[in-house]
Amino acid sequence: MAESHGNAKGATAHTEANGGHKAAPFPPFQKDTFASQLVSLAIAFVALYLISSRLALPRVRKTIDDRQNTIDGNLAQAQKLKDDSDAALKAYETELAAARTRAQTIGNETREKLNAAADAERKALEGRLSVKLADAEKTIASTRAAAMSNVRGIASDAAAAIVQQLTGATPDRKLVDSAVEASMKG
């Protein structure tokens, strides 16, 4: 370790090493070795430049290029996959629209078939009902005609019975029939 000692004169200080010999100043600060140090620095700089430009920089450039190629490849693959998915989505939407159209067509055809079948069934039922209604009207008309023909006889019999009940004598049948006929005409 260097020590500073005061001497008898007390004004100067010096550095001692190895038994009190004066040590040389720090080499980069020596004026007489400055030029050789610059040459050494230049040689070291050129050597480092050559080593780095011939060995290190090509490796770094290759690594950067490889990385860029990988990134470009991944981006291209991602774009291709995106295009594929867009195409698949478009095909899906087209198929979905076609399926909806087919379903609408099938629904319309089915509705038309069911409406036609219902109309045919309704017409057949109306035909059967109109035949039954005509038969029923004929039956009613014949029953009414039979009842009306019986009404005169029943009315004549009832009028004769009422007159006999009230008077005690049997009325003339022709006279009772003419009175019933006049009454029915209005």
Side-chain angles (χ1 to χ4, degrees):
M1 196 157 221
E3 295 179 2
S4 175
H5 298 276
N7 60 10
K9 295 179 183 174
T12 60
H14 67 278
T15 304
E16 293 180 21
N18 295 340
H21 292 249
K22 190 173 183 184
F26 186 61
F29 298 140
Q30 291 180 0
K31 292 180 187 177
D32 54 345
T33 62
F34 192 67
S36 67
Q37 289 177 8
L38 282 178
V39 171
S40 296
L41 179 64
I43 292 172
F45 179 76
V46 169
L48 283 175
Y49 176 77
L50 290 175
I51 289 171
S52 65
S53 68
R54 304 274 188 219
L55 298 176
L57 289 178
R59 288 181 184 172
V60 170
R61 174 54 55 197
K62 183 180 181 303
T63 302
I64 290 172
D65 289 343
D66 289 347
R67 179 73 176 150
Q68 188 62 42
N69 290 338
T70 302
I71 290 170
D72 291 343
N74 288 345
L75 288 175
Q77 185 179 9
Q79 184 63 39
K80 181 183 177 287
L81 291 175
K82 182 183 179 292
D83 293 342
D84 290 347
S85 67
D86 289 344
L89 179 64
K90 187 174 182 180
Y92 169 75
E93 289 174 349
T94 303
E95 286 295 320
L96 185 61
R100 284 182 182 157
T101 303
R102 286 192 303 266
Q104 187 71 25
T105 303
I106 290 170
N108 289 340
E109 289 174 358
T110 303
R111 186 179 316 113
E112 290 172 3
K113 287 178 184 177
L114 291 175
N115 286 342
D119 285 344
E121 182 72 24
R122 182 182 50 82
K123 286 179 182 178
L125 182 61
E126 285 177 356
R128 288 191 304 265
L129 289 176
S130 65
V131 168
K132 286 183 180 181
L133 182 62
D135 289 343
E137 286 177 353
K138 287 178 185 176
T139 303
I140 290 171
S142 65
T143 305
R144 179 182 292 150
M148 290 307 275
S149 67
N150 290 337
V151 166
R152 283 198 173 113
I154 292 171
S156 294
D157 290 343
I162 290 172
V163 170
Q164 185 178 4
Q165 221 18 235
L166 291 175
T167 61
T170 304
D172 182 21
R173 189 77 175 156
K174 288 185 181 183
L175 185 62
V176 172
D177 286 341
S178 66
V180 168
E181 187 71 32
S183 166
M184 289 182 84
K185 286 184 180 178

